[in-house]
Amino acid sequence: AFQPKNLTPPPGVTHFRTADGSWNNLNNPKEGSAGTRFVRNVPLEFIKPETAESMLTPNPRTVSLKLLSREGPMKEFPYLNMLAAVWINFQNSDWISHGENHMDELYDIPLAEDDPARKRFGQTAIRIPKTRHDTTYGAGGEELVPITFINEVSQWWDGSQIYGSDQATQDRVRSHVEGKLLLTDDHRLPLDEHGIEVTGFTRNWWVGLSMMHTLFTNEHNSVCDMLRASYPEWDDNRLFNVARLINTAGMAKIHTVEWTPAILPNSVLNTALNANWYGILTQLLRRGKDKKTVAPINIRNPEMGGVVGNPLNNHNAPFGLSQEFVEIYRLHSLLPEELIFRRHETGDEVERAPFSSVRQAGSAKLTERMPMADLLYSFGVQQPGQLVLNNYPRFFQELSIPGNPLLDMGAVDIFRARERGVPRYNDFRRGLGLPPIQKLEDLTDDSETVRRIREVYGDGDDVVEKLDLREEGVAVRYL
């Protein structure tokens, strides 16, 4: 029932349709642009939208309370700092956003009789707005297509979180002088009418994002100064676009050879990602500063010479980010309950702030009194939470937002994957060509973890088929 019809492409064109239903090929500028669909990692037969009953089985709130809730002090990553947590949030803002949800179309997640939120908030259910519809659904002649959703931001690694994914936003953040972005006289981001910093993307804003956006906005302007000194004849537009290219390349390199090997530390992955950036030969033959992104003698092969500056091969599939990619990158357990701020000169603690106080307009209030150098230092010496079961931040399970006194992001994380047709864990493995697990002990040899999972997902023979992909411990094992 979920197999699309009329998906045979015209001669010489790939199999992929854009959001407006038109055929896309490798040279089409629509590829990966804002407003195109999220793609999939798995064959279409695995994209099975859940029924109303199965979306609540097991209840996402129960999964959140029993398997995600942080118990006692946060379990800390012993080898990471909070900059790693902020970084992936900053990068996700560049890559993925489902846009504004439908506030007039709601799902109800029932609360159990003994749920603490019933007494505290007087609610019998958590109300979650539906994900924004793909308004191009069925366009181009398809009678039946798999469930699809639109990415409101550009899917390329193009720094759109700073520069925007549309012309109006880009015009708003630019100074239109010497290629630079807007900054205040003290090198901070200007504020809008709501007291939130002006930049390319501000959904789910907090001080960690403010810090990264401020850093890379200043970097862009510094690159403009460097370029203008070398190319005084360049106009504002050329300075802006080349500086953006350089700034974004720096982000891509940090993520490829620093962030990913740090959060997933193993020698094979470290070698592979460095080879991805530098090329296998440079990775094998050069060390430290001797490694150049583009070698003096470039080998025109993405494996041997690296992907940068070499011919692309999209393997007949236009570029896009997948719905499954979105789910794996829900890494909320990295966040602590409170942030600790210190002076970078001395390391002395000067302030503690609950996470809820540094969201939205609270971010600018903090940066007004806290120098950026102190913020960067503070995040650099505080550790994030481990990506394991029962380490989800408590404040995220009792968020209060306009129109909704209780929003449990742990429950939302589980629910969104089901709503968006993301396969459950075992089906996802099958879709990737991996063998499915046969028993819970294939996930972990910890008997207490197995007991807790059974308490939520049941103890039948089919329990392994019910596991959600996004459930924290499972997600980390997949990664």
Side-chain angles (χ1 to χ4, degrees):
F2 302 105
Q3 288 290 343
K5 296 182 179 179
N6 192 28
L7 284 184
T8 302
V13 181
T14 69
H15 62 276
F16 180 82
R17 282 186 185 274
T18 62
D20 63 6
S22 61
W23 291 108
N24 199 340
N25 61 38
L26 298 182
N27 298 315
N28 193 323
K30 292 180 180 178
E31 179 189 3
S33 63
T36 53
R37 290 174 181 166
F38 288 101
V39 299
R40 294 286 180 169
N41 286 119
V42 295
L44 299 182
E45 60 264 28
F46 291 96
I47 305 169
K48 304 171 184 176
E50 305 266 3
T51 65
E53 180 182 359
S54 65
M55 279 203 290
L56 295 174
T57 306
N59 188 309
R61 173 69 168 174
T62 302
V63 177
S64 176
L65 291 178
K66 292 187 176 294
L67 292 179
L68 299 186
S69 293
R70 187 168 281 163
E71 299 174 343
M74 180 184 77
K75 302 180 187 74
E76 295 182 339
F77 250 123
Y79 52 82
L80 287 180
N81 59 35
M82 275 294 294
L83 293 173
V86 178
W87 180 261
I88 191 55
N89 191 187
F90 178 61
Q91 292 302 289
N92 278 342
S93 301
D94 180 16
W95 303 330
I96 52 180
S97 174
H98 285 80
E100 291 288 351
N101 296 316
H102 292 290
M103 300 305 296
D104 57 344
E105 299 181 48
L106 304 173
Y107 295 106
D108 282 355
I109 297 179
L111 298 179
E113 291 293 337
D114 60 349
D115 193 302
R118 272 187 174 251
K119 182 176 182 179
R120 184 173 181 184
F121 300 104
Q123 289 185 228
T124 59
I126 297 174
R127 312 203 77 188
I128 299 176
K130 290 186 178 180
T131 301
R132 184 178 60 165
H133 303 310
D134 178 356
T135 56
T136 68
Y137 192 85
E142 301 102 327
E143 295 177 17
L144 290 172
V145 296
I147 185 170
T148 57
F149 297 93
I150 296 295
N151 193 346
E152 74 165 342
V153 301
S154 58
Q155 302 185 50
W156 296 105
W157 219 330
D158 59 2
S160 61
Q161 76 272 48
I162 291 176
Y163 303 103
S165 289
D166 59 81
Q167 193 62 51
T169 302
Q170 186 180 114
D171 290 341
R172 188 182 184 207
V173 301
R174 288 180 62 176
S175 70
H176 299 286
V177 177
E178 298 175 353
K180 294 185 177 182
L181 299 171
L182 285 174
L183 283 170
T184 63
D185 291 340
D186 59 352
H187 301 284
R188 296 170 60 235
L189 296 171
L191 303 182
D192 65 12
E193 62 275 16
H194 304 293
I196 296 176
E197 290 90 333
V198 175
T199 186
F201 187 88
T202 56
R203 291 192 191 279
N204 305 314
W205 191 252
W206 65 291
V207 72
L209 289 180
S210 173
M211 180 178 65
M212 283 293 172
H213 280 249
T214 302
L215 176 64
F216 281 92
T217 298
N218 275 280
E219 177 69 6
H220 172 95
N221 288 357
S222 295
V223 172
C224 286
D225 287 337
M226 177 194 71
L227 291 172
R228 195 162 60 91
S230 298
Y231 307 99
E233 72 280 8
W234 285 10
D235 63 11
D236 171 65
N237 276 334
R238 187 166 188 185
L239 287 167
F240 168 79
N241 284 302
V242 175
R244 175 177 182 170
L245 183 64
I246 293 170
N247 204 18
T248 303
M251 297 178 207
K253 182 178 180 182
I254 291 169
H255 191 84
T256 303
V257 301
E258 294 184 31
W259 184 85
T260 307
I263 203 165
L264 297 170
N266 68 71
S267 58
V268 174
L269 182 138
N270 182 69
T271 299
L273 283 168
N274 274 273
N276 175 274
W277 188 264
Y278 293 108
I280 291 173
L281 290 180
T282 295
Q283 175 64 13
L284 288 175
L285 301 176
R286 297 286 185 266
R287 292 290 180 269
K289 293 182 179 180
D290 290 335
K291 291 195 294 187
K292 304 297 181 184
T293 301
V294 178
I297 301 176
N298 188 42
I299 299 173
R300 289 183 62 76
N301 175 280
E303 290 78 30
M304 293 293 108
V307 297
V308 181
N310 273 321
L312 298 178
N313 183 352
N314 285 1
H315 303 283
N316 210 33
F319 175 79
L321 297 176
S322 73
Q323 192 65 63
E324 292 77 21
F325 175 93
V326 175
E327 300 308 322
I328 289 299
Y329 270 100
R330 296 182 187 273
L331 305 179
H332 295 132
S333 293
L334 291 169
L335 298 177
E337 304 296 332
E338 66 176 3
L339 298 172
I340 304 170
F341 299 106
R342 303 176 183 275
R343 295 294 181 213
H344 74 278
E345 301 96 339
T346 63
D348 294 338
E349 180 181 325
V350 294
E351 183 177 341
R352 292 189 176 218
F355 196 93
S356 58
S357 70
V358 297
R359 295 173 57 230
Q360 304 301 328
S363 167
K365 293 176 182 178
L366 178 63
T367 58
E368 285 177 358
R369 65 179 186 272
M370 187 76 61
M372 197 57 59
D374 288 353
L375 284 176
L376 288 163
Y377 175 81
S378 299
F379 277 75
V381 296
Q382 184 171 358
Q383 291 175 306
Q386 293 180 30
L387 296 169
V388 296
L389 290 176
N390 296 112
N391 203 33
Y392 201 89
R394 287 182 287 273
F395 67 84
F396 256 152
Q397 293 177 298
E398 49 189 35
L399 281 177
S400 180
I401 61 176
N404 201 337
L406 173 64
L407 190 67
D408 179 349
M409 285 303 300
V412 171
D413 284 352
I414 299 296
F415 190 86
R416 288 299 185 213
R418 298 175 184 176
E419 178 199 11
R420 295 168 182 168
V422 173
R424 302 268 178 141
Y425 179 68
N426 247 2
D427 262 353
F428 186 49
R429 291 183 63 88
R430 293 185 183 100
L432 293 180
L434 297 172
I437 64 170
Q438 302 301 316
K439 56 187 184 300
L440 293 179
E441 288 77 9
D442 292 339
L443 285 176
T444 176
D445 56 7
D446 182 68
S447 60
E448 175 60 16
T449 298
V450 170
R451 185 195 67 78
R452 290 185 179 219
I453 293 176
R454 288 194 182 280
E455 184 181 353
V456 173
Y457 284 90
D459 57 4
D461 293 338
D462 63 344
V463 62
V464 293
E465 301 301 329
K466 299 177 182 178
L467 294 176
D468 290 281
L469 174 67
R470 239 300 296 148
E471 190 272 305
E472 210 76 5
V474 172
V476 171
R477 185 168 290 271
Y478 160 69
L479 285 171

